[in-house]
């Protein structure tokens, strides 16, 4: 899958650059020096050029949900290593490291919460955990989040950030694409809204499954979204890429997204959509 | 169960020139094939063929990922890597099958969906997701066979079936061994290692519970005797269709959903 290119890339340094004192950040897009606290207060959106820096799952929760409204429901499902997969490191070792760093069993956090008062089931993908890749555990947690929404008669919002299906679980990972799509079918049959928010980056088997089957597809500005990664296309097909290729604004123009929404407006836009989709009920 | 390091050899067999393609099986195992073209939106994708045919007399809708049989045809068919319009044609034909109560037989053979600029501009990911969603929802029997290569989402797009069969020397996985090697070993030449690690052979998939049956090939591979391979495949397809055709639409959809619901390996600890 298009996974991946991201493993090779240096970790996004959350706008920190070595040549500036610790209190200051440098925007990775325009190079502006920003007082770190200002950047945090601005939800890691550059106050100069509006570049959306990647944020952690915890930051996402804080910036999206009403304070103290989150009740976690994920975390009981743990990844296994059904293929005893070893590349340059054993898969079990990669998992252990990612689990220690994140404090989560796998690349997803899901639970109940409120956005401007509206209750919903929220699932957040964690790009910092193995590139947000989807193996059996992530697929299962997504299915449970959708089932929970059906059970409680609540809308589902998924914030995506993923390199795609996880290679180390082979065909099991591939099957999660169909498994998550089937779960969305139950949500649709119950006529419950499903909104997906695509953030930087969302590619491969995640884009080609639940991420793009939402009733409304939102994206953050400048997010890389696609099936094949840009490097794969450039290298294997020897094609030059058009400007802005696979970025949110490009996809909006090509009719593939409903809305590109600034992170600072995301809660109010989600709230508006959810309340409109509730209809007359 | 296969192991012992012969998975890469099987990948080579799955790609052997002269290995029967979807259109070859349509000639050898089906009757009265009428190819139907186009997604009604943009163009006809020669990498994904489809149409109406009979299998032992029973009318069916057939979908097939189609490789070329020589370089010229391979260029025309983008080496069997469908574009979004191919998957949208598949969706159109699935709807046709449902409308007329015809079973869908899907012949999978792709290294993956086409990775190109135009494919991305036209929503490759969106087309694949929609194809899976549509296939899962069909109130008619859906039977898929991995003929040669089952590469990632491009294969699953037309394999969200009631039952998935696989030819003995075919492979099916989340990624091609070359791409996997390029990412994890940073060297596509490590593809044989990746093929082992991915456990992508027909026997592996059967052991993993991800396919229902392995269709035997003549010793030496399907290309050594396409007629015999097609005859064996035809019998298996007939047998599965006979069984699936006894089920009602809702039963089929529920069974298909349940099939995918249980796929995956994970552990569980109660939350505190």
């Amino acid at each position: 899958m298009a996974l991946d290119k991201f493993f090779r890339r240096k970790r996004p340094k959350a706008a920190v650059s070595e040549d500036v004192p610790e209190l200051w950040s440098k925007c990775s897009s325009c190079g502006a020096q920003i007082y770190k606290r200002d950047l945090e207060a601005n939800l890691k959106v550059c106050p100069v050029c509006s570049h959306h820096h990647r944020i952690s799952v915890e930051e996402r929760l804080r910036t999206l949900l009403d304070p103290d409204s989150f009740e976690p429901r994920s975390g009981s499902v743990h990844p296994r290593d059904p293929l005893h997969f070893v590349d340059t490191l054993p898969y079990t070792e990669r998992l252990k490291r990612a689990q220690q760093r994140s404090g989560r069993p796998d690349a997803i956090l899901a639970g109940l919460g409120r956005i401007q008062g509206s209750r919903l089931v929220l699932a957040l993908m964690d790009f910092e955990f193995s590139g947000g890749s989807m193996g059996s555990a992530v697929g299962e947690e997504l299915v449970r989040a959708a089932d929970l929404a059906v059970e409680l008669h609540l809308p589902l919002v998924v914030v995506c950030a993923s390199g795609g299906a996880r290679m180390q679980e082979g065909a099991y990972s591939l099957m999660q694409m169909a498994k998550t799509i089937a779960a969305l079918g139950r949500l649709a049959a119950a006529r419950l809204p499903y909104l997906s928010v695509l953030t930087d980056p969302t590619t491969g088997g995640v884009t080609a499954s639940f991420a793009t089957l939402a009733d409304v597809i939102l994206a953050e500005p400048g997010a890389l979204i696609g099936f094949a990664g840009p490097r794969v296309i450039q290298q294997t097909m020897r094609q030059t890429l058009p400007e802005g290729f696979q970025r949110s604004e490009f996809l909006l123009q090509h009719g593939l997204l409903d809305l590109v929404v600034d992170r600072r407006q995301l809660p109010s836009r989600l709230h508006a959509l959810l309340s409109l989709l509730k209809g007359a009920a | 169960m296969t192991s012992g390091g012969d998975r890469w050899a099987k990948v080579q067999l799955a790609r052997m020139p002269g290995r029967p393609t979807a259109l070859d099986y349509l000639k050898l195992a089906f009757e009265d094939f009428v190819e139907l073209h186009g997604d009604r939106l943009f163009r006809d994708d020669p990498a994904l063929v489809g149409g109406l045919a009979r299998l032992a007399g029973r009318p069916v809708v057939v979908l097939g990922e189609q490789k070329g049989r020589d370089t010229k045809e391979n260029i025309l068919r983008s080496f069997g890597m469908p574009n979004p319009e191919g998957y949208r044609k598949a969706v159109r034909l699935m709807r046709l099958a449902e409308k007329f109560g015809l079973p869908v037989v899907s012949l999978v053979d792709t290294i993956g969906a086409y990775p190109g600029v135009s494919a991305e501009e036209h929503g490759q990911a969106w087309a694949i997701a929609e194809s899976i969603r549509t296939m899962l929802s069909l109130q008619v029997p859906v039977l898929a066979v991995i003929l040669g290569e089952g590469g990632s989402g491009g294969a699953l797009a037309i394999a969200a079936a009631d039952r998935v069969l696989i030819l003995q020397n075919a492979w099916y996985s989340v990624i091609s061994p070359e791409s996997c090697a390029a990412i994890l070993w940073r060297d596509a030449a490590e593809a044989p290692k990746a093929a082992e690690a991915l456990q992508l052979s027909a026997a592996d998939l059967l052991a993993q519970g991800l396919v229902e049956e392995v269709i035997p090939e003549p010793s030496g591979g399907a290309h050594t005797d396409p007629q015999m391979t097609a005859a064996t495949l035809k019998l298996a397809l007939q047998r599965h269709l006979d069984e699936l055709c006894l089920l009602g639409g809702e039963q089929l959809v529920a069974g298909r959903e349940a099939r995918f619901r249980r796929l995956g390996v994970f552990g569980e600890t109660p939350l505190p």
Side-chain angles (χ1 to χ4, degrees):
Chain A
M1 308 239 89
L3 249 196
D4 359 293
K5 317 298 115 190
F6 306 107
F7 294 122
R8 217 180 303 180
R9 190 187 292 172
K10 279 191 210 131
R11 315 198 90 241
K13 285 197 222 152
V16 186
S17 172
E18 288 137 17
D19 55 350
V20 280
E22 263 179 25
L23 290 173
W24 294 83
S25 288
K26 191 172 170 183
C27 173
S28 60
S29 180
C30 72
Q33 307 261 352
I34 314 156
Y35 190 47
K36 243 188 189 175
R37 271 203 171 131
D38 290 348
L39 187 62
E40 302 286 337
N42 209 32
L43 316 187
K44 290 214 175 151
V45 177
C46 172
V48 178
C49 73
S50 286
H51 176 71
H52 282 52
H53 296 96
R54 289 178 187 169
I55 59 175
S56 70
V57 160
E58 284 70 22
E59 287 170 314
R60 177 68 65 186
L61 267 187
R62 266 204 308 281
T63 60
L64 202 53
L65 291 185
D66 298 349
D68 301 319
S69 70
F70 186 65
E71 298 169 40
R73 290 298 182 96
S74 64
S76 67
V77 176
H78 291 252
R80 287 265 171 86
D81 178 23
L83 308 185
H84 309 290
F85 198 101
V86 180
D87 48 89
T88 53
L89 267 184
Y91 178 41
T92 48
E93 185 56 35
R94 288 188 189 280
L95 283 173
K96 204 184 299 168
R97 290 182 189 182
Q99 287 165 341
Q100 277 166 359
R101 207 167 44 217
S102 68
R104 264 183 283 286
D106 213 323
I108 188 165
L109 177 67
L112 295 163
R114 286 178 193 275
I115 293 180
Q116 300 190 343
S118 325
R119 286 188 83 207
L120 70 149
V121 174
L122 180 71
L124 306 172
M125 304 191 78
D126 183 359
F127 188 73
E128 289 170 30
F129 191 115
S130 185
S133 59
M134 174 166 67
S136 301
V138 170
E140 179 67 21
E141 289 285 17
L142 278 162
V143 168
R144 291 186 187 192
D147 288 350
L148 182 66
V150 174
E151 185 193 321
L152 300 178
H153 208 74
L154 290 174
L156 174 68
V157 173
V158 181
V159 180
C160 302
S162 173
R166 186 172 295 168
M167 288 175 286
Q168 288 89 344
E169 293 180 32
Y172 289 115
S173 297
L174 183 65
M175 296 305 135
Q176 304 312 307
M177 293 170 63
K179 177 169 166 168
T180 52
I181 292 174
L184 295 180
R186 298 190 279 279
L187 196 70
R191 295 188 185 279
L192 292 165
Y194 162 41
L195 311 184
S196 78
V197 181
L198 312 184
T199 71
D200 188 53
T202 302
T203 61
V206 166
T207 320
S209 62
F210 62 88
T212 51
L213 291 176
D215 297 308
V216 179
I217 309 175
L218 302 88
E220 284 198 334
L224 177 79
I225 301 160
F227 182 62
R231 287 230 306 252
V232 173
I233 296 172
Q234 207 160 22
Q235 284 168 10
T236 60
M237 297 295 145
R238 295 178 203 286
Q239 280 180 294
T240 48
L241 307 178
E243 190 164 338
F245 182 62
Q246 293 183 319
R247 298 287 167 181
S248 307
E249 298 73 17
F250 180 92
L251 295 166
L252 185 73
Q253 275 173 10
H254 283 81
L256 296 166
L257 304 175
D258 286 289
L259 293 162
V260 176
V261 179
D262 189 298
R263 185 176 294 156
R264 294 161 292 186
Q265 267 83 57
L266 198 52
S268 61
R269 297 313 289 275
L270 287 172
H271 174 75
L273 288 166
L274 291 175
S275 87
L276 288 164
L277 287 171
K278 252 189 232 162
Chain B
M1 159 136 196
T2 315
S3 54
D6 66 345
R7 294 182 178 98
W8 182 243
K10 285 181 179 292
V11 172
Q12 301 305 108
L13 276 176
R15 295 170 176 173
M16 190 64 81
R19 185 172 175 90
T21 64
L23 284 175
D24 295 320
Y25 288 110
L26 272 157
K27 216 172 278 169
L28 295 168
F30 295 78
E31 311 103 64
D32 301 341
F33 175 53
V34 182
E35 185 173 353
L36 303 175
H37 293 275
D39 65 349
R40 301 292 187 270
L41 294 164
F42 174 52
R43 73 184 266 269
D44 184 49
D45 185 356
L48 200 156
V49 299
L52 294 158
R54 284 179 196 276
L55 183 76
R58 174 191 280 132
V60 294
V61 162
V62 184
L63 306 171
E65 286 165 334
Q66 182 62 38
K67 295 183 179 182
R69 283 154 289 195
D70 52 49
T71 307
K72 198 176 152 209
E73 195 192 353
N74 253 325
I75 290 165
L76 174 79
R77 299 194 186 276
S78 47
F79 294 82
M81 294 185 282
N83 272 277
E85 51 271 25
Y87 296 115
R88 292 186 175 122
K89 171 164 67 178
V91 166
R92 187 174 74 80
L93 296 178
M94 291 178 207
R95 296 259 176 252
L96 185 78
E98 188 168 53
K99 178 172 178 183
F100 293 99
L102 305 176
V104 175
V105 178
S106 189
L107 308 174
V108 179
D109 192 8
T110 185
I111 194 167
Y114 191 82
V117 169
S118 156
E120 295 291 323
E121 286 173 338
H122 288 95
Q124 184 70 283
W126 283 252
I128 292 170
E130 189 61 47
S131 186
I132 297 170
R133 170 157 77 180
T134 304
M135 209 168 210
L136 287 171
S137 76
L138 294 179
Q139 301 228 354
V140 291
V142 184
L143 189 54
V145 193
I146 317 294
L147 296 179
E149 302 197 82
S152 92
L156 177 66
I158 58 163
D162 300 310
R163 297 184 191 177
V164 180
L165 319 181
I166 185 166
L167 287 178
Q168 193 183 339
N169 296 312
W171 67 268
Y172 188 22
S173 195
V174 65
I175 188 166
S176 73
E178 285 85 353
S179 303
C180 180
I183 296 159
L184 293 181
W185 282 270
R186 298 179 188 192
D187 183 1
E190 300 283 11
K193 267 191 206 164
E196 284 306 308
L198 287 167
Q199 298 187 27
L200 44 58
S201 75
D204 292 326
L205 286 150
L206 187 69
Q208 291 158 12
L210 303 183
V211 300
E212 273 71 20
E213 187 177 331
V214 176
I215 314 284
E217 294 183 27
S219 60
H223 62 285
T224 62
D225 194 343
Q227 277 79 12
M228 191 176 133
T229 312
T232 314
L233 175 64
K234 182 178 179 177
L235 285 175
L237 292 176
Q238 265 180 270
R239 177 162 39 83
H240 287 285
L241 277 188
D242 285 344
E243 290 169 16
L244 291 172
C245 286
L246 298 173
L247 304 173
E250 276 167 30
Q251 259 178 308
L252 286 164
V253 173
R256 205 176 299 136
E257 246 193 65
R259 180 188 187 277
F260 285 95
R261 176 71 183 84
R262 61 176 177 263
L263 299 185
V265 177
F266 53 85
E268 178 112 39
T269 49
L271 286 176

